[in-house]
């Protein structure tokens, strides 16, 4: 891993504890390349930051008879058109698929897109789909959550969590509120995370509709508390941004109802039976406002009793995702 943002730092700490590995982060230069080649066990928490470095390490380790395991976060790019780099990426990973002692896993099931099997050895569930299922009851309320609850004043709470940018559907969300201002009577929207400068105008629009923007780094504890506080978590991303989502995974585990794009990979995850999402037609603000208003009017209490049938079923599903991940990675290592 090159930088400790997004999934990366979380993955690093989790995998180090699960598989007794030593965490290392940085661009793969000569010194780090040598250390990685010599490692007895090697798991790339993500290969997407440095494809050239990953390939150099994997090829060398294969030649000397050592196993390499990697997670492929964005395999869909291999099948995009319009840029030569995508065709080269597809060709490269189709070849690597047959490299001895290399196990490359996508974090989306092959059933979501059977082409993934052309560029990866197998698939596992995104760790952020299962990492919190046995810790939900220990999450404490943060001051940020208390501020959000006070500002909501009893209305349903819709949280846009993590980095605020257009690709994650932020402009669409703001358009919904701007086109249908009555929605703010029943739904309070908060965006919590660092704002992309390109989304600054949309943030101003959100505030003008009565919403809240928290433009700063939001700690893990604050984020977890917001999942427990909110009724809905925004996961309705642009069609070109169709990939695994830690926001979706955490919302599933912590009782917030995810709002997703109809036809997305996340909709297929929801069909596993773990959660009933709010599905929106991307770009249709009228349909979106109607669906969100209906969901807000019919919101039920969040899953708080671990003995309820719903919570038990959710625990079984999420627990099976965790067991499957650990089993596959341990076998590959």
């Amino acid at each position: 891993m090159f930088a400790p943002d997004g999934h990366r730092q979380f993955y690093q700490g989790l995998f180090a504890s699960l598989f007794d590995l030593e965490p290392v982060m940085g661009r793969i230069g000569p010194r780090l390349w040598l250390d990685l080649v010599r490692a007895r066990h090697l798991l790339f928490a993500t290969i997407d930051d440095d494809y050239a470095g990953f390939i150099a390490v994997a090829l060398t380790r294969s030649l000397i008879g050592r196993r390499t395991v990697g997670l492929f976060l964005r395999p869909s790019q291999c099948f995009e058109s319009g840029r030569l780099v995508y065709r080269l990426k597809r060709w490269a990973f189709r070849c690597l698929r047959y490299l001895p002692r290399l196990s490359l896993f996508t974090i989306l099931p092959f059933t979501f897109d059977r082409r993934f099997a052309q560029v990866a050895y197998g698939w596992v569930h995104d760790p952020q789909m299962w990492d919190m299922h046995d810790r939900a009851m220990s999450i404490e309320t943060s001051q940020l959550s208390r501020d959000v609850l006070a500002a909501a004043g009893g209305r349903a709470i819709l949280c846009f969590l993590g980095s605020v940018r257009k690709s994650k559907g932020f402009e669409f969300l703001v358009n919904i509120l701007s086109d249908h201002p009555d929605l703010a009577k029943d739904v309070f929207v908060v965006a919590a995370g660092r704002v992309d400068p390109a989304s600054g105008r949309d943030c101003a629009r959100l505030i003008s509709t009565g919403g809240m923007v928290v433009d700063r780094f939001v700690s893990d504890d604050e984020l977890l508390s917001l999942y427990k506080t909110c009724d809905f978590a925004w996961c309705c991303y642009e069609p070109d941004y169709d990939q695994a989502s830690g926001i979706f995974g955490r919302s599933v585990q912590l009782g917030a109802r995810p709002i997703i794009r109809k036809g997305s990979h996340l909709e297929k995850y929801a069909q596993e039976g773990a959660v009933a999402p709010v599905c929106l037609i991307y770009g249709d603000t009228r349909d979106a406002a109607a669906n969100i208003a209906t969901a807000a009017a019919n919101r039920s209490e969040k899953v708080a009793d671990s003995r309820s049938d719903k919570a038990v079923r959710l625990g079984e599903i999420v627990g099976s995702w965790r067991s499957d991940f650990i089993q596959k990675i341990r076998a590959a290592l």
Side-chain angles (χ1 to χ4, degrees), residues 21-43:
L21 301 173
E22 180 181 350
V24 176
M25 185 174 296
R27 186 173 294 280
I28 300 176
R31 177 62 183 274
L32 182 55
W33 173 84
L34 185 59
D35 289 342
L36 296 178
V37 167
R38 289 174 171 173
R40 182 179 178 185
H41 301 290
L42 180 61
L43 169 60

Side-chain angles (χ1 to χ4, degrees), residues 76-296:
S76 296
Q77 287 186 345
C78 292
F79 307 100
E80 293 182 15
S81 58
R83 294 180 60 186
L84 176 61
V85 67
Y86 295 143
R87 292 197 294 272
L88 292 174
K89 186 175 177 181
R90 179 168 64 250
W91 175 84
F93 282 100
R94 278 178 171 171
C95 294
L96 286 172
R97 168 70 177 77
Y98 299 101
L99 185 68
R101 291 171 287 277
L102 172 62
S103 299
L104 189 58
F105 294 91
T106 68
I107 59 170
L108 285 171
F110 286 174
T111 54
F112 289 9
D113 190 333
R114 297 194 180 279
R115 295 176 300 176
F116 293 165
Q118 300 174 23
V119 296
Y121 166 84
W123 65 270
V124 290
H125 292 284
D126 182 350
Q128 290 188 326
M129 295 292 298
W130 48 258
D131 66 303
M132 295 297 303
H133 82 285
D134 57 353
R135 296 170 53 195
M137 301 307 294
S138 63
I139 296 172
E140 297 182 0
T141 301
S142 67
Q143 183 59 52
L144 177 57
S145 290
R146 288 190 285 269
D147 292 343
V148 169
L149 279 169
R155 290 173 289 174
I157 299 171
L158 191 164
C159 282
F160 186 107
L161 301 172
S163 58
V164 178
R165 59 183 189 270
K166 183 176 181 293
S167 62
K168 292 171 64 178
F170 186 65
E171 182 181 39
F172 177 42
L173 173 58
V174 176
N175 286 343
I176 295 168
L177 297 168
S178 296
D179 291 350
H180 305 277
D182 285 348
L183 187 62
K185 297 177 181 177
D186 302 308
V187 180
F188 178 70
V189 178
V190 55
R194 288 192 175 122
V195 175
D196 183 334
S199 294
R201 182 173 296 179
D202 288 326
C203 283
R205 292 170 60 207
L206 174 59
I207 293 171
S208 71
T209 66
M212 176 189 293
V213 175
V214 182
D215 181 11
R216 63 171 174 81
F217 171 77
V218 180
S219 71
D220 288 342
D221 288 343
E222 288 177 314
L223 283 173
L224 293 175
S225 180
L226 285 173
Y227 283 112
K228 294 289 288 183
T229 299
C230 71
D231 298 283
F232 305 101
W234 182 266
C235 310
C236 187
Y237 307 141
E238 289 187 335
D240 290 341
Y241 191 78
D242 195 11
Q243 58 189 49
S245 166
I247 304 298
F248 175 84
R250 292 286 175 81
S251 68
V252 168
Q253 296 178 79
L254 299 178
R257 192 176 179 188
I259 298 176
I260 64 177
R261 178 176 58 82
K262 190 173 181 62
S264 66
H265 288 322
L266 298 182
E267 185 180 26
K268 297 174 183 177
Y269 249 122
Q271 292 169 358
E272 296 280 336
V275 67
V278 180
C279 293
L280 309 183
I281 300 172
Y282 200 88
D284 188 336
T285 63
R286 178 179 295 181
D287 172 82
N291 276 283
I292 294 172
T294 299

